[in-house]
Amino acid sequence: MVRNLTLAERVVVRHAFENACEICKKVIESPDGQLSVCIHTYMHARPTAARLQIIRDDFSRILAKLVSFNPENDVNFRRDEGEACFAYVDPSIDTVIYIGDQFFTSKRRGKDTPAGTFIHETSHYSSVLSTEDNAYGDDIEGLSFTLARKNADSYEYIAEMFF
């Protein structure tokens, strides 16, 4: 059932939203060496200068979309109670993230965080990166750079290395 967020849920969403924006900024401003490790680890590619810039540009696009949201606005963040997932979006409607049950029980640090979830979901929008869910979790290790760059979890995992 899709509904507005409760006050307690809104606090969690606001905190995750702020963290997601900060993480994107950290990735964009990160030293080449730190980002190189991420590209090697989660995109299994040689971290060339061009690839580093591509990833920074991709995170800039994610950040630009995130900052257009208002965590206090029920139009942007909707609760889908009973949905057994972290969150989901309709890629063609880039103004709302639907938040599932797992979002509120997930870890605050490490992998699969609420902030990482917002980065993951934002990357799906057609107006941002049009990523897909080619692989989740450790399964991303088998993706080529081309597939990893079109995979939402790759961006989430890179981001969570900066959190």
Side-chain angles (χ1 to χ4, degrees), residues 72-145:
E72 304 302 323
N73 188 341
D74 286 324
V75 171
N76 296 135
F77 298 97
R78 304 285 292 155
R79 175 73 161 98
D80 195 348
E81 196 166 17
E83 186 64 33
C85 67
F86 290 95
Y88 64 92
V89 297
D90 176 340
S92 65
I93 303 172
D94 68 354
T95 56
V96 63
I97 296 176
Y98 296 93
I99 301 169
D101 295 340
Q102 293 176 340
F103 183 89
F104 295 101
T105 59
S106 63
K107 301 175 286 185
R108 299 297 179 241
R109 296 268 185 216
K111 292 182 180 177
D112 299 325
T113 64
T117 297
F118 283 158
I119 291 166
H120 174 119
E121 296 304 332
T122 303
S123 76
H124 281 308
Y125 291 131
S126 302
S127 65
V128 180
L129 298 177
S130 294
T131 60
E132 297 179 10
D133 292 318
N134 297 311
Y136 289 104
D138 292 337
D139 291 340
I140 68 174
E141 293 178 13
L143 299 176
S144 66
F145 178 75

Side-chain angles (χ1 to χ4, degrees), residues 8-69:
E9 290 168 341
R10 188 175 309 286
V11 169
V12 173
V13 165
R14 184 181 324 110
H15 186 69
F17 170 81
E18 291 167 354
N19 284 338
C21 291
E22 282 304 309
I23 291 168
C24 285
K25 290 175 190 172
K26 286 180 181 178
V27 173
I28 294 162
E29 297 167 357
S30 68
D32 288 352
Q34 187 176 9
L35 189 54
S36 293
V37 170
C38 296
I39 291 173
H40 177 73
T41 303
Y42 293 117
M43 294 192 161
H44 306 286
R46 198 177 84 238
T48 64
R51 285 182 176 149
L52 291 170
Q53 191 57 51
I54 286 168
I55 299 307
R56 286 187 174 103
D57 291 347
D58 289 348
F59 272 93
S60 293
R61 293 177 73 186
I62 292 168
L63 178 61
K65 175 46 68 179
L66 279 171
V67 298
S68 75
F69 285 9

